[in-house]
Amino acid sequence: MKESLPPHILKEKLPRFLQKCAQTFESDRKYRNDSRYLRVWIELMDYVNDAKVILRRMEKNQIGFKRAMFYSAYALYYEKQKKFEEAEKMYHLGVQKVNSDVT
């Protein structure tokens, strides 16, 4: 989509497309930790007023729990809110969760 549409149309259509994609596969377990699907959710955060809503929905559906990208996005959210202690905790949680799945 990014490569085929002119920038002005992409800016208009992309948020709705990301939202529809996220919703369509939200309850499909096979996509929960798919990095491509996770990128859809993370990019969707750029188009909402409060990314916390997206992050909570991801948590509820366990989307990205096995990917460092999820924890990095969550920590970045906290950093933008100047909640550095929470960001640090999220980074540590990510290292713990991702490393526990590797071993």
Side-chain angles (χ1 to χ4, degrees):
M1 198 171 176
K2 286 181 177 180
E3 295 171 9
S4 63
L5 294 176
H8 66 284
I9 294 176
L10 181 65
K11 185 177 179 180
E12 176 189 330
K13 303 281 184 189
L14 187 60
R16 179 69 185 129
F17 174 78
L18 292 169
Q19 183 181 35
K20 187 70 174 164
C21 181
Q23 289 174 341
T24 299
F25 302 103
E26 191 170 1
S27 61
D28 194 331
R29 296 180 66 136
K30 71 180 176 183
Y31 292 110
R32 280 189 182 160
N33 289 294
D34 185 304
S35 60
R36 297 165 299 176
Y37 184 57
L38 184 53
R39 280 194 299 273
V40 167
W41 282 90
I42 290 172
E43 190 163 346
L44 184 58
M45 288 181 214
D46 291 337
Y47 298 98
V48 297
N49 292 329
D50 185 10
K52 185 73 168 196
V53 174
I54 301 289
L55 291 163
R56 292 276 190 218
R57 201 157 148 195
M58 292 171 73
E59 280 183 308
K60 179 183 171 206
N61 293 293
Q62 298 182 342
I63 295 168
F65 274 28
K66 294 181 180 180
R67 296 287 182 171
M69 197 180 342
F70 169 77
Y71 299 97
S72 294
Y74 218 127
L76 183 59
Y77 164 80
Y78 282 132
E79 287 178 8
K80 287 181 179 179
Q81 302 297 315
K82 303 215 182 307
K83 296 180 178 180
F84 300 112
E85 193 171 310
E86 287 90 341
E88 186 74 18
K89 288 178 186 176
M90 192 54 67
Y91 283 123
H92 287 291
L93 180 62
V95 169
Q96 179 184 14
K97 293 282 189 179
V98 172
N99 285 339
S100 70
D101 286 337
V102 173
T103 56

